[in-house]
Amino acid sequence: MYIHVKKDILNRDKSAQLFEEAKKLFPGGVNSPVRAFKSVYGPPLFIKKGRGAYIIDEDDNKFLDFCCSWGPLILGHANEKVTSRICSTVVEGTSFGTPTALGNTIGRLILDNNKYIDKLRFVSSGTEAVMSALRLARGYSGKSKIVKFEGCYHGHVDSLLVKAGSGLATFGVSTSAGIPESFINETIVLPLNDLVLLEEAFKANDDIACVIIEPIPANNGLLLQDRNYLVWLRKLCDDYNILLIFDEVISGFRVGYEGAAGYYSIQPDIITYGKIIGGGMPVGAYGASHEIMSHVSPDGNVYQAGTLSANPVAMAAGIATLEQLIEEDFYDNLEAKTLQFVNKIQAHCEAKSYKLQIQSIGSIFWFNFSEHRVMTPDQISSDGIEHFKNLHRYLLDSGIYMGPSGYEVGFVSAAHTPEQLSEAADVIIKGLDLIF
Ligand SMILES: *Cc1c(COP(=O)(O)O)cnc(C)c1O
C-alpha cells in the first residue's frame, strides 16, 4: 500500500525546524491543538502567505487550500477588498474602546438582511459568543441546565466540554481536565437525531434553560441532520418553554447569508456567529429578538463585556467580507462549484465501488469513508479516519491542503476557480486509487 512504499516528497525542512523551536515556546508547539498535525503525517506546515485559493509555506511549497483558516475565509486569502479596507482603517488607529460608525455599518449590514435576529452584540471569538449566549439564556429564563448534543462542538466553554457518560440518561463526563464536577452537572448530553431521548430529558428536568445545537454539525465530520428533526426540536423547545440556541459559528454566512436558520427556515431564540463574520479577524457575535437582547447589560442584568469587542479593524474586515457575500448569486455560485467538485470525485468512487460518501452542504464538504450517510459520531468509521490520514499525506505531497484530521470538514471559497477544483478532484481521485 502507498504508505509503505512512498517516502515524503514534500520538503518540510523549514517547517520542521520552526516546529522544533515552537515546541519550546508553546504547549505542543501550537496555539490551538489540532494545528499540531497529531492525526496526520509529518510536522505541521508553517504558512507564511496566502493568496486567493492558495497558501505558501516557509519552504515555499504552494498548496490549494481547503481549510481556509477553518472556515472564515469564504472569499479566499488576502481578498483585495478585505485587505484594502483593513489597511485604510488601521492607519486611523487600531482600537478606541468606544462605539464607532464602523460598528453601526456592519450591524446594519447584518440585521437589515437577517430576519432571524433583531439585535446583536459583538465579541472576539466563537467561544466567547457561545459562552455569552448561554449566560443570556440562563439569565433570561431563570433556569440553569443546558442540553447539548454529542458530536457538536461549541468552542472551549467549560460547561460544554462534556460528552455523554455511560447510560444516556445520566450526566456526562468532561472531555478536558480542569472542569469542576458541578459545572458538568449543569449539562445534559444527548445524541443527535433522537427526539425520543430529548423529550424524555425535557420531561425529567424542569430546570433546562436552553438547548444548544450546531444546526449543521460540522466539527466532528459533517453530521447533516434532517430538516424535520430540527423542526421538531424547535417545536419541543416551544412546548417545554426551553430556549433554542443555534450555534452558527461555522454555518453562519456559510450556507447562505442567513446561515442555517435561513437555509432551513427555522427561527431559533438565540444565534451565535464567528469565523466568517470577522472576515479573517477575531470576531464573534450573538443575536436574538429585541426582547431577549434587552436582558443584556447595560439594558438588562446579564453582564457581558469586552475590551476589544467590535474592534474597528476587525469590523472593517467583516464589512468588506459581508458586502461581497450579499451580492446576488454569491451563494448559488459557490454551491454550484462545490457540487461539481464533489460530484466528480463521487462519480469515480461509485464507478470503483469505493466506500466513500462525500457529504456536503453549501460550500462545506467532508470525506465520509463509509457506504452510508452518517448522522451521529458513533457511525463514523475508524478505518475511514485511517484512510483519510493516508489521503492527507498524498494530497500534501501533491499540493493540496486539507484540515489535518479526518474529522475536519473542507471548505470551498469564492477564490477557488472551477479549473482549480477540477484539477484538485483529479488529484484526489488519484490519491483515492492509491489508498483503496
Ligand atoms: C469554531 C467554532 C466555535 C469556536 O469558535 P472560536 O472562534 O474557535 O472560539 C464554536 N462553535 C462552532 C460551531 C464552531 O465551529
Side-chain angles (χ1 to χ4, degrees):
M1 209 174 117
Y2 163 69
I3 61 161
H4 298 304
V5 295
K6 194 159 177 290
K7 270 182 63 202
D8 275 337
I9 54 169
L10 182 68
N11 174 17
R12 299 192 225 189
D13 293 350
K14 271 200 183 159
S15 280
Q17 203 183 323
L18 285 163
F19 190 46
E20 287 312 307
E21 185 187 11
K23 281 187 203 162
K24 297 180 192 134
L25 305 171
F26 314 115
V30 290
N31 291 289
S32 196
V34 71
R35 294 182 195 174
F37 267 42
K38 291 269 191 200
S39 309
V40 292
Y41 293 103
L45 302 180
F46 280 61
I47 302 300
K48 64 178 177 189
K49 190 169 164 166
R51 281 287 181 281
Y54 288 99
I55 49 176
I56 295 167
D57 70 8
E58 293 284 351
D59 292 284
D60 285 324
N61 301 302
K62 187 175 170 186
F63 304 89
L64 190 68
D65 181 20
F66 287 103
C67 179
C68 296
S69 192
W70 306 95
L73 301 180
I74 193 168
L75 298 173
H77 296 272
N79 176 270
E80 211 276 317
K81 287 179 179 155
V82 176
T83 52
S84 63
R85 189 98 186 213
I86 290 173
C87 291
S88 64
T89 305
V90 78
V91 294
E92 305 297 338
T94 51
S95 177
F96 313 113
T98 67
T100 64
L102 284 168
N104 288 11
T105 304
I106 188 168
R108 233 181 289 117
L109 197 52
I110 294 166
L111 295 173
D112 288 353
N113 299 290
N114 184 332
K115 59 181 168 296
Y116 298 93
I117 50 172
D118 296 331
K119 239 182 206 178
L120 85 170
R121 169 64 65 79
F122 281 108
V123 294
S124 300
S125 72
T127 296
E128 203 187 341
V130 168
M131 194 182 82
S132 311
L134 293 178
R135 185 180 306 132
L136 175 57
R138 284 168 160 153
Y140 176 80
S141 66
K143 295 185 278 185
S144 104
K145 287 201 168 49
I146 53 188
V147 170
K148 70 151 279 188
F149 298 95
E150 188 91 50
C152 288
Y153 174 72
H154 304 289
H156 66 97
V157 179
D158 276 335
S159 58
L160 295 179
L161 291 177
V162 184
K163 63 176 185 201
S166 52
L168 282 170
T170 61
F171 291 114
V173 292
S174 71
T175 55
S176 165
I179 297 175
E181 187 86 25
S182 57
F183 288 25
I184 304 301
N185 292 343
E186 298 300 317
T187 305
I188 299 165
V189 186
L190 294 172
L192 284 161
N193 191 35
D194 189 328
L195 291 165
V196 175
L197 282 174
L198 183 72
E199 185 154 21
E200 273 175 22
F202 281 7
K203 278 189 181 139
N205 296 278
D206 58 8
D207 194 25
I208 299 174
C210 63
V211 171
I212 184 164
I213 188 169
E214 279 183 87
I216 296 174
N219 276 289
N220 200 315
L222 184 59
L223 305 173
L224 292 177
Q225 303 296 296
D226 287 333
R227 176 172 185 270
N228 270 349
Y229 166 74
L230 296 170
V231 169
W232 273 97
L233 170 64
R234 173 68 277 181
K235 187 181 171 325
L236 273 184
C237 286
D238 285 339
D239 291 350
Y240 287 83
N241 196 23
I242 290 167
L243 295 173
L244 177 60
I245 303 176
F246 272 9
D247 180 357
E248 298 228 41
V249 172
I250 278 195
S251 57
F253 304 98
R254 170 59 65 176
V255 296
Y257 199 83
E258 291 180 307
Y263 191 92
Y264 294 119
S265 303
I266 296 173
Q267 173 71 61
D269 296 298
I270 304 175
I271 307 182
T272 58
Y273 297 101
K275 300 195 169 102
I276 292 174
I277 201 172
M281 299 290 277
V283 180
Y286 60 103
S289 64
H290 286 298
E291 199 225 335
I292 292 177
M293 290 307 280
S294 73
H295 289 252
V296 177
S297 176
D299 282 349
N301 58 6
V302 176
Y303 187 71
Q304 186 271 306
T307 302
L308 293 173
S309 292
N311 170 269
V313 183
M315 295 294 100
I319 292 166
T321 299
L322 299 187
E323 278 176 352
Q324 294 178 69
L325 305 190
I326 208 159
E327 278 169 22
E328 210 173 318
D329 296 336
F330 177 87
Y331 288 101
D332 288 346
N333 290 339
L334 192 53
E335 179 164 353
K337 267 197 303 203
T338 307
L339 265 183
Q340 223 167 24
F341 167 67
V342 164
N343 287 346
K344 183 170 179 181
I345 304 166
Q346 190 68 53
H348 181 80
C349 293
E350 266 148 42
K352 298 273 189 162
S353 304
Y354 293 157
K355 272 203 211 168
L356 174 62
Q357 294 264 322
I358 307 173
Q359 299 193 188
S360 84
I361 184 168
S363 49
I364 310 175
F365 66 91
W366 177 57
F367 292 107
N368 164 28
F369 286 91
S370 131
E371 284 153 312
H372 309 287
R373 169 179 168 194
V374 307
M375 296 172 85
T376 56
D378 55 293
Q379 295 168 335
I380 297 176
S381 113
S382 48
D383 287 356
I385 294 301
E386 201 53 36
H387 279 323
F388 178 84
K389 193 171 166 181
N390 293 330
L391 180 66
H392 187 271
R393 164 146 136 174
Y394 176 82
L395 294 181
L396 273 191
D397 283 347
S398 313
I400 292 180
Y401 188 88
M402 296 270 179
S405 149
Y407 294 99
E408 299 298 341
V409 297
F411 298 99
V412 174
S413 82
H416 289 75
T417 66
E419 294 70 32
Q420 288 165 347
L421 288 169
S422 176
E423 276 173 38
D426 289 334
V427 173
I428 291 166
I429 284 167
K430 256 195 220 158
L432 291 172
D433 286 344
L434 283 166
I435 64 165
F436 273 113

